[in-house]
Amino acid sequence: MNKTEFLKTLEAGLAAASPEERVAALQYYGEYLDEAGPELEQEVLAQLGSPEKLAAEILAMSGTAPDTTAAAGAGAQTPPAATAGPEAPAQAPAPAAPAGHNFPPLPPLPALRNQVYPPPPGAGGPTYPPPPHGAGGPPPPGAGGQAAAPPVYDTQRNTAAKIVLIVLLVLLLSPIWGALLGVAVALLAVVIVLFLIPIIVAVALVAAGLVSAIAGIIVIPAATGAGLVGLGLGLLCVGLGLLCGWGGVLLLGRVLPGMVGGFFRGIGSLVRKIFK
Amino acid sequence: MTFTTGAALLEALVLSAVNHSDTYGYKITQDVRSVVDVSESTLYPVLRRLQKEGYLAAYDQEFAGRNRRYYTITLQGQEHLKLCREAWETYSSKIESLLLGGISDE
């Protein structure tokens, strides 16, 4: 195809356009090819594509509804202006871009729909798919017993053990653990101090009683009455102190080991429960 | 990869090219094609539309023994180009803030 043939075909394709439109287009492309020069003519003609298609684009742009013969001849009508409709026999596979910008050709509508709403892969519906066994969320440590479903016993026990291990690790590594230990130790210290109080009191009483009694004995020659009272009170104090001390030691010896033991037993049983 | 150039941007580019100096179709096409990837046949409809909207006017001038149709920008076209440039500023800065800098609009 040369320049003359190109322009002739273009003119024929623009038969439906207004004379003004036709002349303008023919002048433009005639001039365009002149500017390119004879050396570039073939290259530019190749770039411009088919004159029928070009005519269709110009018609679409100028708002002139092309008659069906023109559309069929052009082979490619833009979808929005398509008077020919989707059932047009001559619909070309690659439609011309409307008004000539280079959007990639749109896929046919059903394909586009498929792209926008892909069918949900695998999962049938909006409901949760049943969790693959064992992969469910970690149950609380005590829930290891749910592993007792007979058919899949081994795998479930395996996963239960894994879950317990994870929970244990979390517990051991969690900062709350440290805080709890601190609180427990502090409580134990307070209890010990509380139980020490009777012993301290006892020691103080015995000491005061001894001082009072000795002072009474010393004072007896000078002031017999007061000395005797002092001696009596002192001995009383010593007695009370010894009693108090005995009670305290008894308390410390009997109750405290029980409490401390209970404390550790409690931890032990907790650990055993976790490991069970 | 290439980004597509929409009709509005093409119109703005053509207006800008003509605004620079009166010029003719072949030259406009080469200028625009040096910047964006459009086919040779893309720009005639654009030029035609701009003429119909009154943004461009055409006049003929002889060159080397033949006629050359020159396009010149109208007052209306200059106003429209101004709007186009403002719109482009907004558009491109938004694109750049996301594309080149992440969302840094604190």
Side-chain angles (χ1 to χ4, degrees), chain A residues 177-193 263-264 267:
Chain A
W177 192 242
L180 277 174
L181 200 73
V183 168
V185 167
L187 273 172
L188 200 66
V190 167
V191 168
I192 288 168
V193 167
F263 178 75
F264 285 114
I267 290 176

Side-chain angles (χ1 to χ4, degrees), chain A residues 20-21 24-25 27-29 31-32 34-36 40 44 47-48 54 58 61-62 99-104, chain B residues 4-5 7 10 24-26 29-30 33 37 40-42 44-45 47-49 52 60 66-69 71:
Chain A
E20 185 205 344
E21 198 67 59
Q27 191 194 336
Y28 179 87
Y29 279 109
E31 194 190 299
Y32 194 92
D34 283 341
E35 294 289 347
L40 287 176
V44 171
Q47 282 261 3
L48 286 173
L54 207 60
I58 292 164
M61 179 270 305
S62 66
H101 32 96
N102 61 349
F103 287 120
Chain B
T4 54
T5 311
L10 271 180
Y24 50 98
Y26 186 76
T29 304
Q30 303 313 311
R33 270 164 61 83
D37 183 26
E40 301 246 15
S41 63
T42 301
Y44 175 69
L47 273 170
R48 209 58 198 138
R49 209 159 45 234
K52 283 184 177 167
D60 293 334
R66 53 188 167 81
N67 186 60
R68 208 181 237 178
R69 175 153 283 195
Y71 296 89

